[in-house]
């Protein structure tokens, strides 16, 4: 498990997260960052400046895990999750 911190860089400002969150790996950190970004955009009414922001995910020592731009989180599609269980037969 990684103790990840989801910090925000916007223009010249750096907004550090103080509490962090445990994630399994960088893939889960990316998914959490994407969720946080989407909620922030909804919460702040689609403020256009947010498209220039970056979520800088770091570990407890401050080392970079990944950077995710708000633009990428909002507009770059992600793969659909795999279905669990058997596929349904086609409708007739």
């Amino acid at each position: 498990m990684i103790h990840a911190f989801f910090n925000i860089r916007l223009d010249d400002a750096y907004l550090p997260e103080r509490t962090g969150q445990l994630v399994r790996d960088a893939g889960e950190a990316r998914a959490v960052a994407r969720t946080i970004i989407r909620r922030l955009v909804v919460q702040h009414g689609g403020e256009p400046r947010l498209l220039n922001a970056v979520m800088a995910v770091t570990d407890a020592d401050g080392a970079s895990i990944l950077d995710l731009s708000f633009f990428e989180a909002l507009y770059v599609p992600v793969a659909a999750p795999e279905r669990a269980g058997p596929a349904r037969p086609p409708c007739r």
Side-chain angles (χ1 to χ4, degrees), residues 15-83:
L15 307 166
E17 183 199 10
R18 303 280 184 220
T19 57
Q21 180 174 334
L22 288 176
V23 295
R24 283 187 301 273
D25 55 24
E28 185 177 8
R30 180 176 294 279
V32 170
R34 185 179 300 274
T35 299
I36 292 169
I37 290 168
R38 289 180 175 187
R39 287 182 180 165
L40 284 171
V41 169
V42 168
Q43 181 181 2
H44 293 283
E47 169 63 44
R49 284 182 5 157
L50 289 178
L51 292 178
N52 298 325
V54 172
M55 177 77 59
V57 184
T58 59
D59 66 13
D61 296 324
S64 178
I65 297 172
L66 65 95
D67 286 351
L68 180 62
S69 75
F70 277 46
F71 181 86
E72 179 182 352
L74 295 169
Y75 295 111
V76 175
V78 295
E82 292 185 26
R83 288 182 160 208

